[in-house]
Amino acid sequence: MTNTSNTSHKRFTLGISLKLFIAFWLVIITSVLISYLITMQFKQLPLQEQATPQQLKILVKFSEKVNDKEKVKLKELQRNFYRKYQQDLIIKRINNNRIYLPRKPGWFEIRNYLEKNPLNNPVTIDFGFAKVTSSQPIMIDGKQYQFFIAKEIHRKHIINLIKQLPVAIRILLLFSISFLCCWLLAKSFSKPLIAIQKASKDIGEGKLTTRITEFDQRSDEFGDLARSFNQMAEQLESNISAHQRLLGDVSHELRSPLTRLQLAVAMAEKNIGNTEEQQKHLNRCELEVERLDEMIADVLTLSRLEHNKNTCVFEEVNLNKLVNKIVNDGQYFATSKQVEVIFIEKLNYTISADEKLLASAISNVVNNAIKYSPVEQQVIVELKEQSNTIMLSISDNGSGVPESMIDKLFQPFFRVADARDRSSGGTGLGLAIAQQAISLHHGSIVAKNQSSGGLLITITLPLST
Ligand code: ADP
């Protein structure tokens, strides 16, 4: 499995690098060739200028010395000329158009030019790297020749240097430089793609901690892509670990009532015949089954809210009426504790909401406030508008929540003191469900300890959802 994935990764790496490289290289070579063909049309001929009398004098003088001589070696003539004048002598044999010139890089251009042009008049031709002065007719061994003098110009211009190189070397240079540039370009494009492909593969294989670290600091589009990828991986990891934690918590939480149920069943069996004892244990069984049912229902609700976000039915809801009803219902339970629930409403608000869902979230918070409120105290429910949002605050005078735990209040199964809340029958899922429900209404819910004591829960809802 790993072997196959390694091979496919290698194939991808090689494939993408090669494809990009070939594409870049082809584009460069073709554009160079096209531009060469186009510039060939406008290619400038070497500049012709008037021959300097000095050069002409040398040419005439040397020609007179050599003229009509026999058994003269051309190579030697050239050597002697160079020794004397530090310039090169170019000889052209007229009848076969053959040019004798020193082997120097780039001088093939001079050869081509002289082959094509008779140049009988006295001119100087500037080839960029050498100036050639023409020409003096001469007879050697009874054959007709033409003498030219070439004076090298040492202009250190890169173009001139390249011009002097033979065509094969120039083509090789073009191929090697373009090869290198294209390879580097292809690498710089393919590297991020390969890293993203590898990271996606790793995530697919379950390595959720995988992040792209090589080029996420880059300020270009690849950097953006890497950062988005990392953000996605982060979200995925946190979602999956939250689900794993939830699954672990659910199994753990289900075990406690099941154990108590088992125990109660065993006790009931043991007390067969003792009707009173048996009834007590059967009542316990019933209670634990109820708790199990309640917990499973809450887990299902939470899961439904997390996953089926589109199942809400939004309609126009009068918020004041809704909160009023919840407060009245809560008051019924609060009275038994001599707790008073006070509802302060400023304006009348109608919002678009899933009435049942919103009601369950608000009533959970109100019921908690009543549950954790000391006897003969007040629970204040206030509905007002602030910074273009609707704010519903629920406060009590209870013991509040330890500051270090306040952030965990909305996590599933979180309870401040296990024993106390277990005996009060809570599952620790109520606030988690409320948070999901409020967020489905594009709102938020926060908890804060009040300076005067007790917990303050604030639900914020947009004015028009
Ligand atoms: P439960 O079903 O246990 O009440 P919740 O999610 O509604 O679950 O609450 C989670 C925990 O938050 C509670 O167990 C309790 O410890 C704490 N809590 C919630 N509301 C209050 C409050 N008004 N005062 C103090 N503690 C609270």
Side-chain angles (χ1 to χ4, degrees), residues 28-40:
I28 290 216
I29 300 283
T30 341
S31 13
V32 167
L33 285 179
I34 290 173
S35 48
Y36 177 72
L37 287 177
I38 292 169
T39 47
M40 278 287 281

Side-chain angles (χ1 to χ4, degrees), residues 9-10 12 34 61 105 123 134 140-141 159 170 172 183 216 228 243 280 303 354 359 385 387 436 462:
H9 175 68
K10 269 188 200 148
F12 177 83
I34 290 173
K61 208 171 144 192
V123 280
S134 83
I140 301 172
D141 281 339
I159 305 282
R170 281 202 247 172
L172 200 74
W183 184 246
D216 60 332
S228 311
H243 280 109
K280 197 177 98 192
S303 159
D354 184 317
E385 191 182 324
S387 325
Q436 281 298 327

Side-chain angles (χ1 to χ4, degrees), residues 54-170:
Q54 229 174 343
Q55 292 288 78
L56 283 174
K57 219 168 118 186
I58 297 175
L59 203 55
V60 173
K61 208 171 144 192
F62 191 76
S63 308
E64 277 170 2
K65 239 166 84 181
V66 183
N67 204 8
D68 282 336
K69 273 199 175 173
E70 286 186 12
K71 297 234 183 323
V72 174
K73 281 188 177 157
L74 296 181
K75 273 236 165 87
E76 200 147 324
L77 265 187
Q78 285 177 315
R79 234 177 283 141
N80 289 343
F81 186 85
Y82 190 81
R83 230 175 280 139
K84 200 159 178 195
Y85 301 104
Q86 264 75 55
Q87 295 189 50
D88 287 291
L89 180 71
I90 301 172
I91 305 166
K92 180 175 174 182
R93 195 168 155 182
I94 303 294
N95 70 330
N96 62 0
N97 213 18
R98 197 163 161 195
I99 313 285
Y100 300 87
L101 84 173
R103 279 176 182 272
K104 289 193 183 179
W107 281 41
F108 60 90
E109 210 179 309
I110 301 180
R111 180 197 298 278
N112 290 346
Y113 191 82
L114 296 185
E115 270 171 3
K116 278 178 208 145
N117 300 285
L119 291 175
N120 296 318
N121 49 333
V123 280
T124 296
I125 301 126
D126 188 350
F127 286 93
F129 52 89
K131 280 187 175 189
V132 175
T133 303
S134 83
S135 75
Q136 192 61 31
I138 187 164
M139 293 293 283
I140 301 172
D141 281 339
K143 288 163 199 143
Q144 254 197 316
Y145 289 91
Q146 239 181 328
F147 275 7
F148 303 84
I149 332 177
K151 188 177 183 177
E152 270 188 281
I153 312 166
H154 293 286
R155 283 183 199 144
K156 280 220 168 354
H157 200 280
I158 184 93
I159 305 282
N160 283 333
L161 288 177
I162 293 172
K163 260 183 161 180
Q164 288 173 37
L165 296 174
V167 185
I169 301 281
R170 281 202 247 172

Side-chain angles (χ1 to χ4, degrees), residues 285-353:
C285 287
E286 202 178 352
L287 183 72
E288 294 303 339
V289 168
E290 263 170 33
R291 277 191 183 170
L292 272 174
D293 188 49
E294 190 189 337
M295 195 183 290
I296 290 166
D298 281 353
V299 170
L300 286 176
T301 309
L302 186 64
S303 159
R304 186 175 54 85
L305 290 181
E306 276 179 359
H307 298 289
N308 305 325
K309 303 207 161 156
N310 301 327
T311 51
C312 302
V313 185
F314 283 89
E315 57 195 335
E316 292 289 292
V317 174
N318 185 305
L319 204 55
N320 302 60
K321 246 189 188 168
L322 183 83
V323 179
N324 222 338
K325 188 172 173 300
I326 293 167
V327 166
N328 284 339
D329 290 350
Q331 187 59 63
Y332 179 73
F333 157 58
T335 316
S336 61
K337 277 178 83 177
Q338 287 146 321
V339 169
E340 191 186 359
V341 187
I342 300 170
F343 180 34
I344 306 168
E345 48 189 324
K346 296 266 158 68
L347 286 166
N348 216 18
Y349 300 106
T350 303
I351 60 165
S352 162

Side-chain angles (χ1 to χ4, degrees), residues 294 298 364-365 368-373 396 398-401 409 411 414-417 420-421 424-432 454-455 457:
E294 190 189 337
D298 281 353
N364 185 281
V365 178
N368 272 352
I370 298 167
K371 188 155 77 177
Y372 297 106
S373 172
D396 62 67
S399 53
V401 172
L409 219 54
Q411 281 179 9
F414 176 79
R415 282 175 296 219
V416 173
R420 187 189 79 188
D421 293 316
S424 67
T427 58
L429 285 167
L431 285 180
L455 195 72
I457 302 255

Side-chain angles (χ1 to χ4, degrees), residues 223-250:
D224 286 346
L225 191 61
R227 283 188 288 279
S228 311
F229 182 91
N230 286 348
Q231 209 178 341
M232 179 202 77
E234 192 105 16
Q235 190 64 41
L236 201 67
E237 189 189 359
S238 100
N239 281 359
I240 291 185
S241 47
H243 280 109
Q244 279 167 348
R245 205 177 42 234
L246 183 67
L247 199 67
D249 286 348
V250 170

